[in-house]
């Protein structure tokens, strides 16, 4: 009789862990679905207008739905030179700046050049200080995401 109780308790324990894992998976899936919905909405709106300021405002608004940001910088990469040109910058609660300027030597060009995400804590302190010192958007810009966006085969 005690062997049956022990087997029943083990089964309940395994079932309980499985239910918890399933709940975690469902939460993660719901988060991903929300992100995909946001990307889909962003794509739809971008296709409705190729006016750069409007497109940048849409990208910023939709990105804020996915992750918190205090500062948004959107830069375009020149295909031939791979240099970045800032086309949109905005602090939360302030008007957007749309004057264009080259981005050189800071965190954003480093991320675009590496073609992968870069965590600030992956860098040695001296390397981080050097990147931030050369970036006019520092210290507001402490993380960067490079996302390829192709418009009209470019």
């Amino acid at each position: 009789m005690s062997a049956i109780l022990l087997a029943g308790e083990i089964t309940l324990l395994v079932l309980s862990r499985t239910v918890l894992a399933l709940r975690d998976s469902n939460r993660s899936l719901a988060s991903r679905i929300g992100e995909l919905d946001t990307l889909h909405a962003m794509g739809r709106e971008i296709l409705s207008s190729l006016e750069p300021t409007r497109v940048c405002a849409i990208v910023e608004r939709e990105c804020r739905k996915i992750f918190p940001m205090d500062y948004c910088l959107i830069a375009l990469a020149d295909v031939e030179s791979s240099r970045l040109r800032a086309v949109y910058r905005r602090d939360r609660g302030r008007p957007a700046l749309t004057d264009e300027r080259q981005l050189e030597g800071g965190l954003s060009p480093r991320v675009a050049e590496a073609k992968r995400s870069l965590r600030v804590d992956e860098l040695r302190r001296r390397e981080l200080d050097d990147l931030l010192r050369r970036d006019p958007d520092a210290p507001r810009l402490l993380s960067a995401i490079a996302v390829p966006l192709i418009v009209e085969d470019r």
Side-chain angles (χ1 to χ4, degrees):
M1 182 103 155
S2 66
I4 293 173
L5 282 174
L6 182 60
E9 287 178 8
I10 291 173
T11 302
L12 287 175
L13 181 61
V14 169
L15 185 57
S16 174
R17 288 184 179 170
T18 303
V19 167
L20 289 175
L22 185 57
R23 282 185 188 149
D24 287 344
S25 294
N26 282 341
R27 268 188 242 122
S28 178
L29 182 58
S31 174
R32 293 290 174 227
I33 289 171
E35 291 169 2
L36 289 173
D37 285 344
T38 299
L39 290 172
H40 179 68
M42 189 185 316
R44 246 188 357 255
E45 285 196 57
I46 288 172
L47 288 176
S48 72
S49 168
L50 289 179
E51 193 265 311
T53 304
R54 177 165 160 67
V55 169
C56 290
I58 291 166
V59 169
E60 177 190 8
R61 183 191 72 217
E62 297 299 326
C63 284
R64 286 184 190 280
K65 291 179 182 178
I66 298 173
F67 48 85
M69 351 187 275
D70 292 325
Y71 181 72
C72 178
L73 179 140
I74 297 175
L76 301 178
D78 180 82
V79 177
E80 286 79 37
S81 69
S82 296
R83 295 179 73 188
L84 291 181
R85 181 172 37 97
V87 295
Y88 182 92
R89 296 182 313 283
R90 189 166 93 84
D91 278 303
R92 182 185 293 264
R94 307 205 58 207
L97 301 173
T98 56
D99 55 313
E100 295 188 14
R101 64 180 169 80
Q102 293 293 322
L103 294 178
E104 297 181 24
L107 185 59
S108 298
R110 171 82 178 263
V111 169
E113 181 181 296
K115 294 181 175 58
R116 70 173 191 86
S117 63
L118 175 68
R119 289 175 40 141
V120 173
D121 59 359
E122 290 176 353
L123 301 172
R124 292 185 306 267
R125 185 73 223 174
R126 185 171 162 209
E127 187 179 12
L128 176 61
D129 289 344
D130 185 48
L131 277 175
L132 295 179
R133 185 176 56 255
R134 292 188 283 153
D135 195 330
D137 294 297
R140 295 174 296 188
L141 190 61
L142 296 178
S143 64
I145 299 172
V147 179
L149 176 63
I150 298 172
V151 177
E152 296 177 353
D153 296 327
R154 296 187 335 189

